[in-house]
Amino acid sequence: RLKPFNRLQVILQHLKMSKHTDLTAEVLLEKRGGAGIITLNRPKALNALNLSMIRQIYPQIKAWEQDPETFLIIIKGTGGKAFCAGGDIRAITDAGKAGDRLAQDFFREEYILNNAIGTCKKPYVALIDGITMGGGVGLSVHGHFRVATEKTLFAMPETAIGLFPDVGGGYFLPRLSGKIGYYLALTGFRLKGRDVLKAGIATHFVESEKIPALEKDLIALKSPSTENIADLLNSYHVKSKIDQEKEFILDEHMEKINSLFSANSMEEIVKKLKQDGSPFAIKQLETINKMSPTSLKMTLRQLREGASMSLQDVLTMEYRLSQACMRGHDFYEGVRAVLIDKDQSPRWMPAALEEVSDEFVDDCFKPLGNNDLKL
């Protein structure tokens, strides 16, 4: 007979082998009704995306895309706090410092996944209930439907850690109305709840408590078309009353955002903010002064160029930028200050916008030859 401990080991081994009962799996992939369902399952890490998750999700999306019995793909997070709070920045930092391949592979495979979502032939529904930042935005924003709730917290906070709003940020941000995308990208401003819809990032707004019912109804649809799915989402959307009367948080500032953030250079944006002198402008100035000057310049150019590029060209450009960040100083310093030591006092190099030369920025955008991202 097996000793009790061994018996437990056998049971655990068995659990590990059967995918659906594996509660430790970082991502759950299952087929229910006509829907393929991706569940990000790292609640303690706010469902942050790591390389092994990317390597499971990508082939599954590709398989479902080919499967005549799969009519839509749903992606969601567990734990009630986050859809996905970003990429696994710590692992990338360690890899980058050690010159490990992960610093190349992570961005490469993440962007290939972002592109698969952006070109997916099956309707793709992201239930962005909770924190949705960075890498989580990349898993949702390029799909057909993004359903926000009152718990959604959206941000692209990368300039604060010496990075830039990647995962296709250069594609969707400049396409938001006015200069909202530039504002969000440079300041890392956080949008909550219905404002995520009003900014044009989400396509629908549904109360958090109604999400399980919505998911059930999506799964129950019989060979639905994109229109059928849109109709169902709309029927939930119109019944959602939370914050319906509230005006968009940026409404009162839109005129200023559109004029101040339309400048051609970071120095000019800063100059305009100083000249404006309003409480709003001063607040933005304070925020921008905390960010990596290199990241700010990189980001402004990324969005200005991305505005007229295809998603594929944007991701290729962003891959070049990601590798420039891996070679540089500010990313490691930003992660140290914000995530590791948490002293919130990064020492950027160079420390001022004027010291970040155009030549240096140009260099970040240069092709990588054989190492370029191929989509």
Side-chain angles (χ1 to χ4, degrees), residues 159 186 266 288 291-300 353:
T159 55
L186 297 168
M266 270 319 298
I288 282 172
M291 305 306 189
S292 153
T294 302
S295 290
L296 289 168
K297 286 207 166 175
M298 214 186 243
T299 299
L300 183 59
L353 285 169

Side-chain angles (χ1 to χ4, degrees), residues 143-344:
H144 301 85
F145 302 110
R146 287 88 63 190
V147 183
T149 74
E150 73 279 8
K151 295 192 335 198
T152 303
L153 179 61
F154 165 95
M156 293 300 272
E158 289 81 5
T159 55
I161 55 163
L163 210 54
F164 58 96
D166 66 334
V167 298
Y171 181 79
F172 84 89
L173 288 163
R175 284 167 172 79
L176 299 176
S177 73
K179 294 290 171 188
I180 289 182
Y182 291 78
Y183 171 68
L184 296 173
L186 297 168
T187 65
F189 184 79
R190 297 173 167 208
L191 291 170
K192 297 187 179 89
R194 209 177 267 273
D195 286 333
V196 179
L197 171 84
K198 290 180 176 160
I201 292 151
T203 57
H204 295 79
F205 179 87
V206 174
E207 275 101 344
S208 183
E209 59 175 46
K210 301 271 168 45
I211 291 287
L214 170 62
E215 193 189 336
K216 220 168 131 185
D217 284 348
L218 283 167
I219 291 164
L221 289 171
K222 293 278 172 275
S223 27
S225 63
T226 306
E227 289 71 37
N228 301 146
I229 293 162
D231 288 344
L232 178 62
L233 292 172
N234 288 335
S235 73
Y236 272 82
H237 173 82
V238 296
K239 288 193 203 105
S240 296
K241 300 289 180 243
I242 295 181
D243 291 339
Q244 213 173 25
E245 304 307 312
K246 268 170 82 177
E247 71 162 47
F248 180 40
I249 191 163
L250 296 176
D251 253 357
E252 54 176 316
H253 305 302
M254 269 328 292
E255 226 174 293
K256 282 200 191 307
I257 287 172
N258 291 341
S259 73
L260 298 168
F261 288 86
S262 63
N264 297 332
S265 70
M266 270 319 298
E267 288 89 341
E268 211 182 314
I269 290 176
V270 167
K271 197 173 124 190
K272 281 182 149 190
L273 288 166
K274 282 181 180 156
Q275 282 169 347
D276 184 279
S278 65
F280 175 76
I282 288 163
K283 204 173 161 196
Q284 306 323 310
L285 207 49
E286 281 170 8
T287 302
I288 282 172
N289 281 332
K290 293 191 182 110
M291 305 306 189
S292 153
T294 302
S295 290
L296 289 168
K297 286 207 166 175
M298 214 186 243
T299 299
L300 183 59
R301 176 158 163 196
Q302 170 207 0
L303 266 57
R304 287 172 62 91
E305 296 201 2
S308 57
M309 285 177 164
S310 66
L311 176 61
Q312 291 68 40
D313 289 344
V314 165
L315 290 166
T316 302
M317 164 178 76
E318 290 180 356
Y319 184 71
R320 293 167 185 168
L321 296 179
S322 77
Q323 297 312 295
C325 290
M326 294 303 104
R327 296 191 299 268
H329 164 274
D330 279 7
F331 171 64
Y332 304 102
E333 174 58 14
V335 171
R336 179 205 66 73
V338 176
L339 300 174
I340 297 170
D341 299 340
K342 296 189 167 71
D343 59 26
Q344 310 300 331

Side-chain angles (χ1 to χ4, degrees), residues 57-173:
I57 296 168
Y58 175 78
Q60 187 62 77
I61 286 178
K62 286 298 184 193
W64 280 332
E65 206 172 10
Q66 298 305 315
D67 174 26
E69 297 301 299
T70 303
F71 298 97
L72 76 153
I73 296 171
I74 298 170
I75 186 166
K76 59 179 182 166
T78 52
K81 276 195 184 146
F83 164 66
C84 171
D88 196 350
I89 293 292
R90 282 203 163 182
I92 303 163
T93 312
D94 296 342
K97 279 186 188 156
D100 188 309
R101 274 206 60 92
L102 174 74
Q104 293 163 34
D105 294 346
F106 181 87
F107 290 104
R108 184 184 299 276
E109 295 182 42
E110 183 183 26
Y111 297 176
I112 289 171
L113 173 57
N114 299 148
N115 184 54
I117 293 166
T119 56
C120 189
K121 290 180 183 67
K122 299 283 164 85
Y124 183 96
V125 183
L127 304 173
I128 54 171
D129 186 25
I131 300 165
T132 304
M133 296 185 185
V137 176
L139 289 177
S140 54
V141 79
H142 305 297
H144 301 85
F145 302 110
R146 287 88 63 190
V147 183
T149 74
E150 73 279 8
K151 295 192 335 198
T152 303
L153 179 61
F154 165 95
M156 293 300 272
E158 289 81 5
T159 55
I161 55 163
L163 210 54
F164 58 96
D166 66 334
V167 298
Y171 181 79
F172 84 89
L173 288 163

Side-chain angles (χ1 to χ4, degrees), residues 294 297-298 301 356-365:
T294 302
K297 286 207 166 175
M298 214 186 243
R301 176 158 163 196
V356 184
S357 70
D358 291 346
E359 292 74 39
F360 178 81
V361 178
D362 287 344
D363 207 46
C364 298
F365 284 81

